[in-house]
Amino acid sequence: MKSNHTIGIDIGSSTIKMVITETTAENTSTILHTIESPSHGMRNGYIVDQERAEESFERFMRKAEKEYKEKISYAKFSLGGIGLSSQYVRTSIDILRKDNEVTEKNV
């Protein structure tokens, strides 16, 4: 895989998608290629049939490497589903020392 290429893979309940981008010297990205293939063994973001999910992902990777014409050894993944979530938390603490130094007692 070329060092200035970034590969992103999205594994969904109905399709697996990949985008391959190239980062230029000016730090901009250009989409070089996109690939899409049906996924199996997934429902609502959950793996319901591991064997079928593995087979569809392996088939997808073979197709992707054939189209990309290089072995893919590194990629960024996106997985979704109702069981995954994120939460933004903001908090504050009172600093008891007059010099405003944060110590172990504050954490």
Side-chain angles (χ1 to χ4, degrees):
M1 191 174 108
K2 296 179 182 171
S3 63
N4 62 338
H5 288 187
T6 301
I7 297 175
I9 299 173
D10 177 60
I11 302 174
S13 294
S14 60
T15 58
I16 303 171
K17 300 174 186 175
M18 177 185 287
V19 64
I20 301 169
T21 63
E22 179 178 42
T23 305
T24 65
E26 295 82 30
N27 209 24
T28 60
S29 292
T30 304
I31 294 175
L32 298 177
H33 195 67
T34 60
I35 302 164
E36 186 173 330
S37 181
S39 67
H40 303 283
M42 304 276 291
R43 186 177 309 125
N44 298 324
Y46 291 100
I47 297 173
V48 294
D49 185 335
Q50 184 174 344
E51 187 173 315
R52 290 191 72 205
E54 287 176 12
E55 288 171 0
S56 66
F57 185 72
E58 288 170 358
R59 188 172 32 255
F60 173 79
M61 288 304 295
R62 283 192 300 273
K63 175 184 176 183
E65 289 180 340
K66 182 178 179 183
E67 290 185 24
Y68 183 49
K69 297 181 177 83
E70 286 193 45
K71 182 156 180 60
I72 296 170
S73 57
Y74 179 83
K76 297 180 180 187
F77 284 85
S78 168
L79 298 167
I82 58 175
L84 297 174
S85 66
S86 64
Q87 184 177 11
Y88 176 77
V89 177
R90 184 177 178 170
T91 186
S92 63
I93 58 172
D94 291 327
I95 308 298
L96 302 175
R97 294 180 54 142
K98 290 182 182 181
D99 61 2
N100 290 329
E101 181 180 349
V102 178
T103 65
E104 285 287 322
K105 291 180 182 178
N106 300 112
V107 180

